[in-house]
Amino acid sequence: MSGAHILLECLVREGVDCIFGYPGGVTLPLYDALYDHHIRHILVRHEENAAFAAQGYARTTGRTGVCCATSGPGATNLVTGLVNALMDSTPIVALTGQVAVKLIGSDAFQEADTFGITRSCTKHNYLVKSLADLPQILHEAFYVASTGRPGPVLVDLPKDVLYAQARYSPVSAIHLPGYKVFSEGHTGQIRRAAQLMWEAQRPLVYAGGGVILSGASQELRDLVELLEAPAVLTLMGLGALPSCHPNFISMPGMHGSYAANMALSNCDLLIALGVRFDDRVTGRLSAFAPHAKVIHVDIDPSEIGKIRNPDLPIVGDAKRVLGRVLKVLTELEPAERPRLATARQAWWSQIHAWQREHPLTPAVSASEIKPQHLISEIDRLSAGQAIVVADVGQHEMWAAQFIRFNEPRLWICSGGLGSMGFGLPAAIGAQFARPDKLVFALIGDGGFQMAIPELSTIATHSLPVKVVIVNNGYLGMVRQWQELFFNNRLCAVELESFPDVALLAAAYGLKGRTIQHPSELTPALEDAVREPGPFVLCVKVSPEENVYPMVPSGAAISEMVLGPPQPVAVPK
Ligand SMILES: Cc1ncc(C[n+]2csc(CCOP(=O)(O)OP(=O)(O)O)c2C)c(N)n1
C-alpha cells in the first residue's frame, strides 16, 4: 500500500469518519487516496477553520477531531487553531504535508519548519521520516491527543512518505514509557478530601472543562446533592451540571454573577474540579477565595499549584476520583450528616440573598433590540437542548450568562485563547458531528467578518446551522474597555461597511435577513429555526450596551461593577 493508503487505514482503525481540510501540492497523494475512500473530507475555506471545525466536532462528541493542511502556508495557517485546542484541552490530530525528506532544510517550495513552529502549540508533534514509522506514530498521535489531559497532536508527513509503498501491518500496542496518565487519585488524599468536605461549613464546588472531558457530570451532580453544596461552573464547564439544577449558581469571574463571585469570596472550602484557576475567574489572586481551604482535582499534575497552592491536591481523572470520593463520603455519612443541616441552611440563605440582591436579568427595551434580549430569546428556543457555538466578545459573555445548558457538550466557545473567527467553523464541525441537533452559531459582527468564507462550506453541504450575528456595529468588547478604562476614546473599534446580510447570504445561495426592531425578534428567530436548511440572521442590537457585572482587571472578584455608572446629581 502507499503511505497515503496506510495513513487512511490507520484513521479508519481510529474510528475517524470525517476530516476537515484544505489540499495542496505535497498532500496530493493523500487526496488521491481520499478520492474513492469512505472517510469524508470536508473542504473548508481556510486551514485555520479546519482546525476550528475539528474542535467543534471533538467538543460535541468527545471524540478526536481531525484536520489536514498542506506544507508551508497551509501548516502555518493551522497555528491559531492548534493553540486554541491546546488552551481548551481539545483532542485533535492535525495532519500536515511536508516537502520530501531529502529536501527538508533546503528552503524548498512551500517548506516551513512545521515541526519547530508547532512544538509549543501542540501537546506533542511528530515528523514522520520513514513510512515504516507511520502506523505507530499515527496511533500514538490519537492516543496522546485523547488520553490524560487531551490536546492537539500534529503529524508532519513528507510527500515521499505518502508516495512510498510498503506492506501494511497493524499496530498491536502502544508503549510510551515517558508518558504517564494518572487517573485514580491517591487513596489517602481521597479520604482526607471526603473528610474536609463533610467538615466544611461553607463548601463551594468550582468545576470546569475537565469535568466535561472526563464525562463526570453524573458524579458532579451526586457530589453537590450529597453535600448540599452550591456549585459554580467556569466558561468551559457550562453544562457539566444542568443549568436548571438548584445547586448551580452561575459562571464566576470577570463577567460572572454577583452571587457566584460572593460565594467564591466567602466559602471556607473550595472543591476545584478540572479547573485551572484562570485569571478571568480569579481576578486579583491574593483576594481569591481568601477564607477557603482548597481541594484541587486535576489530571494534569502541572496544573496543581500552578496558580494557587491547594491544601489538598489530587492528581487524577475527575470521574474516577469523584467516584471514589463519593464512596468515602457515603461511608462517613451516618456520622457526619447530623452536623450538616444548620450550617447549610445559613450558607444557602446567604447565597439566595446574594442572588436576590443582584440577579442576572436580561435587559429589554421597546424601541431597540437589547443584545441580552436576543440571547434570552435564543435560550427560550433552545430550552437547554440546542448546541450553541459562540465566537468571542460581548455576545459570548451574554450567552454564558443567559443561555441554559441542560447537558454537557452543548456549549462550545474559544475559552482560553479567545480566538475571534472560531464560532462559525466550530459550528460547522458541531453540525457535522450532530446532524440531529439544532445548532446556533452566535457571532459578533467583527468575528463574523473573519469567517464569512465558511458560508460557502455551509452552502455546499446545506448544513442547517442557524447563524445569528449580534450586530452592534462595533468590536463591542474592545469598545467596552475603551469606554470604561480609556475615557471613551474609541479607537479602531467602529465596524463600518457591514455587508447587507440578505444579499450576502443570497450570493452564497443561502437565506438571510436583517432585523432591528424588537417586534421582529421572536418571529425572525422562530422562522430561522423552522427553516430546514441554513439561515443567516443579522440582528441589529443597541450599539453601546456593556456586559455587567464586570470585575475590572486587577480587582478582586468581590469588587464587581454591577452596572453602568449612575449619573451623579450636580449640586445647584
Ligand atoms: C483573533 C482575535 N483578534 C482580536 C481579538 C481581541 N478582541 C476580543 S473581543 C473583540 C471584539 C469582538 O467584536 P465582535 O465580534 O463584534 O463581538 P462583540 O464583542 O461586539 O460581541 C476583539 C477585537 C481576539 N479576541 N481575537
Side-chain angles (χ1 to χ4, degrees), residues 4-5 34 38-39 108 192 194 196 199 214 235 240 277 296 336 371 382 425 437 446 458 473 485 491 545:
H5 280 104
L34 276 167
H38 67 84
I39 290 183
R192 279 188 279 280
L196 278 181
E199 281 165 12
S214 80
L235 184 69
F277 295 81
H296 190 184
E336 302 288 348
S382 148
K437 279 278 188 193
I458 288 179
F485 308 115
C491 180
E545 201 66 23

PDB file of all heavy atoms in Angstrom, residues 4-5 34 38-39 108 192 194 196 199 214 235 240 277 296 336 371 382 425 437 446 458 473 485 491 545:
ATOM      1  N   ALA A   4      -0.041   7.010   1.733  1.00  0.00           N
ATOM      2  CA  ALA A   4      -1.336   7.685   1.883  1.00  0.00           C
ATOM      3  C   ALA A   4      -2.431   6.678   2.242  1.00  0.00           C
ATOM      4  O   ALA A   4      -3.290   6.948   3.100  1.00  0.00           O
ATOM      5  CB  ALA A   4      -1.683   8.417   0.593  1.00  0.00           C
ATOM      6  N   HIS A   5      -2.402   5.500   1.592  1.00  0.00           N
ATOM      7  CA  HIS A   5      -3.420   4.494   1.903  1.00  0.00           C
ATOM      8  C   HIS A   5      -3.222   3.916   3.303  1.00  0.00           C
ATOM      9  O   HIS A   5      -4.187   3.617   4.009  1.00  0.00           O
ATOM     10  CB  HIS A   5      -3.418   3.375   0.849  1.00  0.00           C
ATOM     11  CG  HIS A   5      -4.166   3.791  -0.389  1.00  0.00           C
ATOM     12  ND1 HIS A   5      -3.534   4.156  -1.562  1.00  0.00           N
ATOM     13  CD2 HIS A   5      -5.493   3.932  -0.607  1.00  0.00           C
ATOM     14  CE1 HIS A   5      -4.455   4.506  -2.457  1.00  0.00           C
ATOM     15  NE2 HIS A   5      -5.647   4.365  -1.906  1.00  0.00           N
ATOM     16  N   LEU A  34      -8.003   9.699  -0.945  1.00  0.00           N
ATOM     17  CA  LEU A  34      -9.331  10.027  -0.418  1.00  0.00           C
ATOM     18  C   LEU A  34     -10.411   9.982  -1.503  1.00  0.00           C
ATOM     19  O   LEU A  34     -11.596   9.873  -1.196  1.00  0.00           O
ATOM     20  CB  LEU A  34      -9.309  11.444   0.188  1.00  0.00           C
ATOM     21  CG  LEU A  34      -8.801  11.579   1.626  1.00  0.00           C
ATOM     22  CD1 LEU A  34      -8.534  13.054   1.959  1.00  0.00           C
ATOM     23  CD2 LEU A  34      -9.806  10.995   2.623  1.00  0.00           C
ATOM     24  N   HIS A  38     -14.118   5.942   1.916  1.00  0.00           N
ATOM     25  CA  HIS A  38     -15.375   6.286   2.598  1.00  0.00           C
ATOM     26  C   HIS A  38     -15.212   7.353   3.673  1.00  0.00           C
ATOM     27  O   HIS A  38     -16.200   7.942   4.131  1.00  0.00           O
ATOM     28  CB  HIS A  38     -16.053   5.035   3.174  1.00  0.00           C
ATOM     29  CG  HIS A  38     -15.290   4.402   4.299  1.00  0.00           C
ATOM     30  ND1 HIS A  38     -15.393   4.820   5.591  1.00  0.00           N
ATOM     31  CD2 HIS A  38     -14.380   3.396   4.297  1.00  0.00           C
ATOM     32  CE1 HIS A  38     -14.597   4.100   6.350  1.00  0.00           C
ATOM     33  NE2 HIS A  38     -13.958   3.224   5.588  1.00  0.00           N
ATOM     34  N   ILE A  39     -13.980   7.639   4.105  1.00  0.00           N
ATOM     35  CA  ILE A  39     -13.820   8.764   5.047  1.00  0.00           C
ATOM     36  C   ILE A  39     -14.179  10.044   4.295  1.00  0.00           C
ATOM     37  O   ILE A  39     -13.701  10.282   3.187  1.00  0.00           O
ATOM     38  CB  ILE A  39     -12.373   8.850   5.583  1.00  0.00           C
ATOM     39  CG1 ILE A  39     -12.093   7.668   6.510  1.00  0.00           C
ATOM     40  CG2 ILE A  39     -12.148  10.170   6.336  1.00  0.00           C
ATOM     41  CD1 ILE A  39     -10.714   7.688   7.152  1.00  0.00           C
ATOM     42  N   ALA A 108      12.961  24.548   0.258  1.00  0.00           N
ATOM     43  CA  ALA A 108      12.210  24.072  -0.904  1.00  0.00           C
ATOM     44  C   ALA A 108      10.884  24.834  -0.997  1.00  0.00           C
ATOM     45  O   ALA A 108      10.446  25.455  -0.022  1.00  0.00           O
ATOM     46  CB  ALA A 108      11.947  22.571  -0.745  1.00  0.00           C
ATOM     47  N   ARG A 192      -8.913  12.043  52.860  1.00  0.00           N
ATOM     48  CA  ARG A 192      -8.806  13.346  53.521  1.00  0.00           C
ATOM     49  C   ARG A 192      -9.753  14.362  52.878  1.00  0.00           C
ATOM     50  O   ARG A 192     -10.368  15.178  53.567  1.00  0.00           O
ATOM     51  CB  ARG A 192      -7.359  13.858  53.472  1.00  0.00           C
ATOM     52  CG  ARG A 192      -6.483  13.227  54.573  1.00  0.00           C
ATOM     53  CD  ARG A 192      -5.116  13.891  54.626  1.00  0.00           C
ATOM     54  NE  ARG A 192      -4.225  13.367  53.603  1.00  0.00           N
ATOM     55  CZ  ARG A 192      -3.570  12.217  53.708  1.00  0.00           C
ATOM     56  NH1 ARG A 192      -3.678  11.474  54.780  1.00  0.00           N
ATOM     57  NH2 ARG A 192      -2.789  11.782  52.732  1.00  0.00           N
ATOM     58  N   ALA A 194     -12.635  13.752  51.445  1.00  0.00           N
ATOM     59  CA  ALA A 194     -14.012  13.464  51.876  1.00  0.00           C
ATOM     60  C   ALA A 194     -14.240  14.010  53.283  1.00  0.00           C
ATOM     61  O   ALA A 194     -15.285  14.611  53.577  1.00  0.00           O
ATOM     62  CB  ALA A 194     -14.273  11.967  51.817  1.00  0.00           C
ATOM     63  N   LEU A 196     -12.653  16.550  54.713  1.00  0.00           N
ATOM     64  CA  LEU A 196     -12.744  18.019  54.629  1.00  0.00           C
ATOM     65  C   LEU A 196     -14.115  18.457  54.105  1.00  0.00           C
ATOM     66  O   LEU A 196     -14.674  19.455  54.556  1.00  0.00           O
ATOM     67  CB  LEU A 196     -11.673  18.563  53.674  1.00  0.00           C
ATOM     68  CG  LEU A 196     -10.259  18.754  54.199  1.00  0.00           C
ATOM     69  CD1 LEU A 196      -9.369  19.332  53.099  1.00  0.00           C
ATOM     70  CD2 LEU A 196     -10.265  19.712  55.398  1.00  0.00           C
ATOM     71  N   GLU A 199     -16.615  18.298  56.805  1.00  0.00           N
ATOM     72  CA  GLU A 199     -16.356  19.264  57.888  1.00  0.00           C
ATOM     73  C   GLU A 199     -16.697  20.700  57.507  1.00  0.00           C
ATOM     74  O   GLU A 199     -16.961  21.530  58.368  1.00  0.00           O
ATOM     75  CB  GLU A 199     -14.876  19.213  58.298  1.00  0.00           C
ATOM     76  CG  GLU A 199     -14.567  18.042  59.206  1.00  0.00           C
ATOM     77  CD  GLU A 199     -13.068  17.775  59.312  1.00  0.00           C
ATOM     78  OE1 GLU A 199     -12.267  18.614  58.866  1.00  0.00           O
ATOM     79  OE2 GLU A 199     -12.726  16.694  59.830  1.00  0.00           O
ATOM     80  N   SER A 214     -13.931  14.477  31.197  1.00  0.00           N
ATOM     81  CA  SER A 214     -13.846  13.137  31.780  1.00  0.00           C
ATOM     82  C   SER A 214     -15.217  12.481  31.881  1.00  0.00           C
ATOM     83  O   SER A 214     -15.315  11.347  32.338  1.00  0.00           O
ATOM     84  CB  SER A 214     -13.174  13.184  33.157  1.00  0.00           C
ATOM     85  OG  SER A 214     -14.112  13.591  34.115  1.00  0.00           O
ATOM     86  N   LEU A 235     -16.530  29.057  32.358  1.00  0.00           N
ATOM     87  CA  LEU A 235     -16.953  29.189  30.950  1.00  0.00           C
ATOM     88  C   LEU A 235     -16.828  27.854  30.221  1.00  0.00           C
ATOM     89  O   LEU A 235     -17.694  27.477  29.433  1.00  0.00           O
ATOM     90  CB  LEU A 235     -16.060  30.249  30.274  1.00  0.00           C
ATOM     91  CG  LEU A 235     -16.381  30.611  28.839  1.00  0.00           C
ATOM     92  CD1 LEU A 235     -17.697  31.361  28.747  1.00  0.00           C
ATOM     93  CD2 LEU A 235     -15.271  31.464  28.231  1.00  0.00           C
ATOM     94  N   ALA A 240     -21.854  21.125  32.626  1.00  0.00           N
ATOM     95  CA  ALA A 240     -21.378  19.970  33.401  1.00  0.00           C
ATOM     96  C   ALA A 240     -22.421  19.598  34.447  1.00  0.00           C
ATOM     97  O   ALA A 240     -22.591  18.427  34.794  1.00  0.00           O
ATOM     98  CB  ALA A 240     -20.042  20.288  34.069  1.00  0.00           C
ATOM     99  N   PHE A 277      -7.837  27.685  37.550  1.00  0.00           N
ATOM    100  CA  PHE A 277      -7.696  28.969  38.243  1.00  0.00           C
ATOM    101  C   PHE A 277      -7.292  30.069  37.251  1.00  0.00           C
ATOM    102  O   PHE A 277      -6.352  30.822  37.481  1.00  0.00           O
ATOM    103  CB  PHE A 277      -6.683  28.856  39.396  1.00  0.00           C
ATOM    104  CG  PHE A 277      -7.138  27.932  40.504  1.00  0.00           C
ATOM    105  CD1 PHE A 277      -7.004  26.558  40.390  1.00  0.00           C
ATOM    106  CD2 PHE A 277      -7.718  28.450  41.657  1.00  0.00           C
ATOM    107  CE1 PHE A 277      -7.431  25.705  41.408  1.00  0.00           C
ATOM    108  CE2 PHE A 277      -8.150  27.609  42.675  1.00  0.00           C
ATOM    109  CZ  PHE A 277      -8.002  26.224  42.545  1.00  0.00           C
ATOM    110  N   HIS A 296      -7.867  20.491  45.090  1.00  0.00           N
ATOM    111  CA  HIS A 296      -7.764  20.641  43.636  1.00  0.00           C
ATOM    112  C   HIS A 296      -7.596  19.271  42.969  1.00  0.00           C
ATOM    113  O   HIS A 296      -6.596  18.593  43.190  1.00  0.00           O
ATOM    114  CB  HIS A 296      -6.575  21.549  43.272  1.00  0.00           C
ATOM    115  CG  HIS A 296      -6.539  21.945  41.818  1.00  0.00           C
ATOM    116  ND1 HIS A 296      -5.519  22.685  41.279  1.00  0.00           N
ATOM    117  CD2 HIS A 296      -7.393  21.703  40.785  1.00  0.00           C
ATOM    118  CE1 HIS A 296      -5.756  22.887  39.981  1.00  0.00           C
ATOM    119  NE2 HIS A 296      -6.887  22.291  39.666  1.00  0.00           N
ATOM    120  N   GLU A 336     -21.491  11.990  59.931  1.00  0.00           N
ATOM    121  CA  GLU A 336     -21.295  13.409  59.616  1.00  0.00           C
ATOM    122  C   GLU A 336     -22.591  14.163  59.304  1.00  0.00           C
ATOM    123  O   GLU A 336     -22.685  15.354  59.579  1.00  0.00           O
ATOM    124  CB  GLU A 336     -20.337  13.551  58.418  1.00  0.00           C
ATOM    125  CG  GLU A 336     -18.980  12.908  58.624  1.00  0.00           C
ATOM    126  CD  GLU A 336     -18.109  13.695  59.609  1.00  0.00           C
ATOM    127  OE1 GLU A 336     -18.451  14.837  59.949  1.00  0.00           O
ATOM    128  OE2 GLU A 336     -17.092  13.130  60.061  1.00  0.00           O
ATOM    129  N   PRO A 371     -29.011  43.309  23.205  1.00  0.00           N
ATOM    130  CA  PRO A 371     -28.365  42.026  22.925  1.00  0.00           C
ATOM    131  C   PRO A 371     -28.742  40.939  23.924  1.00  0.00           C
ATOM    132  O   PRO A 371     -28.913  39.774  23.569  1.00  0.00           O
ATOM    133  CB  PRO A 371     -26.872  42.354  22.996  1.00  0.00           C
ATOM    134  CG  PRO A 371     -26.764  43.724  23.585  1.00  0.00           C
ATOM    135  CD  PRO A 371     -28.060  44.406  23.363  1.00  0.00           C
ATOM    136  N   SER A 382     -33.983  27.367  22.544  1.00  0.00           N
ATOM    137  CA  SER A 382     -33.102  26.207  22.742  1.00  0.00           C
ATOM    138  C   SER A 382     -33.613  25.295  23.857  1.00  0.00           C
ATOM    139  O   SER A 382     -33.443  24.085  23.800  1.00  0.00           O
ATOM    140  CB  SER A 382     -31.687  26.714  23.067  1.00  0.00           C
ATOM    141  OG  SER A 382     -31.041  25.825  23.916  1.00  0.00           O
ATOM    142  N   PRO A 425     -16.745  28.270  11.971  1.00  0.00           N
ATOM    143  CA  PRO A 425     -16.219  26.942  11.639  1.00  0.00           C
ATOM    144  C   PRO A 425     -16.450  25.902  12.728  1.00  0.00           C
ATOM    145  O   PRO A 425     -16.698  24.728  12.420  1.00  0.00           O
ATOM    146  CB  PRO A 425     -14.721  27.182  11.418  1.00  0.00           C
ATOM    147  CG  PRO A 425     -14.422  28.508  12.018  1.00  0.00           C
ATOM    148  CD  PRO A 425     -15.692  29.302  11.944  1.00  0.00           C
ATOM    149  N   LYS A 437     -29.076  17.732  15.746  1.00  0.00           N
ATOM    150  CA  LYS A 437     -29.226  18.813  16.724  1.00  0.00           C
ATOM    151  C   LYS A 437     -29.447  20.175  16.073  1.00  0.00           C
ATOM    152  O   LYS A 437     -28.900  20.451  14.991  1.00  0.00           O
ATOM    153  CB  LYS A 437     -27.950  18.924  17.571  1.00  0.00           C
ATOM    154  CG  LYS A 437     -27.889  17.919  18.704  1.00  0.00           C
ATOM    155  CD  LYS A 437     -28.678  18.432  19.884  1.00  0.00           C
ATOM    156  CE  LYS A 437     -28.519  17.592  21.113  1.00  0.00           C
ATOM    157  NZ  LYS A 437     -29.519  17.943  22.141  1.00  0.00           N
ATOM    158  N   GLY A 446     -17.885  41.576  14.258  1.00  0.00           N
ATOM    159  CA  GLY A 446     -16.444  41.504  13.998  1.00  0.00           C
ATOM    160  C   GLY A 446     -16.021  40.079  13.659  1.00  0.00           C
ATOM    161  O   GLY A 446     -15.418  39.826  12.604  1.00  0.00           O
ATOM    162  N   ILE A 458     -20.946  25.968   4.407  1.00  0.00           N
ATOM    163  CA  ILE A 458     -22.311  25.724   4.883  1.00  0.00           C
ATOM    164  C   ILE A 458     -23.243  25.484   3.696  1.00  0.00           C
ATOM    165  O   ILE A 458     -24.043  24.550   3.687  1.00  0.00           O
ATOM    166  CB  ILE A 458     -22.788  26.915   5.747  1.00  0.00           C
ATOM    167  CG1 ILE A 458     -22.037  26.891   7.086  1.00  0.00           C
ATOM    168  CG2 ILE A 458     -24.291  26.900   5.963  1.00  0.00           C
ATOM    169  CD1 ILE A 458     -22.387  28.010   8.038  1.00  0.00           C
ATOM    170  N   GLY A 473     -22.364  46.963  15.559  1.00  0.00           N
ATOM    171  CA  GLY A 473     -21.621  47.974  14.797  1.00  0.00           C
ATOM    172  C   GLY A 473     -20.223  48.252  15.336  1.00  0.00           C
ATOM    173  O   GLY A 473     -19.516  49.119  14.835  1.00  0.00           O
ATOM    174  N   PHE A 485     -12.334  52.197  30.587  1.00  0.00           N
ATOM    175  CA  PHE A 485     -10.977  52.346  31.155  1.00  0.00           C
ATOM    176  C   PHE A 485     -10.084  53.325  30.383  1.00  0.00           C
ATOM    177  O   PHE A 485      -8.965  53.591  30.783  1.00  0.00           O
ATOM    178  CB  PHE A 485     -10.287  50.981  31.263  1.00  0.00           C
ATOM    179  CG  PHE A 485     -11.140  49.965  31.983  1.00  0.00           C
ATOM    180  CD1 PHE A 485     -11.614  48.851  31.327  1.00  0.00           C
ATOM    181  CD2 PHE A 485     -11.497  50.166  33.307  1.00  0.00           C
ATOM    182  CE1 PHE A 485     -12.427  47.924  31.984  1.00  0.00           C
ATOM    183  CE2 PHE A 485     -12.311  49.261  33.975  1.00  0.00           C
ATOM    184  CZ  PHE A 485     -12.781  48.136  33.311  1.00  0.00           C
ATOM    185  N   CYS A 491     -11.086  53.988  19.593  1.00  0.00           N
ATOM    186  CA  CYS A 491     -10.081  53.957  18.525  1.00  0.00           C
ATOM    187  C   CYS A 491     -10.103  52.590  17.848  1.00  0.00           C
ATOM    188  O   CYS A 491      -9.909  51.560  18.502  1.00  0.00           O
ATOM    189  CB  CYS A 491      -8.700  54.220  19.138  1.00  0.00           C
ATOM    190  SG  CYS A 491      -7.397  54.203  17.906  1.00  0.00           S
ATOM    191  N   GLU A 545     -24.271  48.810  24.458  1.00  0.00           N
ATOM    192  CA  GLU A 545     -24.581  48.022  25.658  1.00  0.00           C
ATOM    193  C   GLU A 545     -23.287  47.404  26.193  1.00  0.00           C
ATOM    194  O   GLU A 545     -22.434  46.973  25.421  1.00  0.00           O
ATOM    195  CB  GLU A 545     -25.553  46.918  25.231  1.00  0.00           C
ATOM    196  CG  GLU A 545     -26.347  46.325  26.337  1.00  0.00           C
ATOM    197  CD  GLU A 545     -27.342  47.300  26.975  1.00  0.00           C
ATOM    198  OE1 GLU A 545     -27.752  48.281  26.336  1.00  0.00           O
ATOM    199  OE2 GLU A 545     -27.674  47.048  28.143  1.00  0.00           O
TER     200      GLU A 545
END
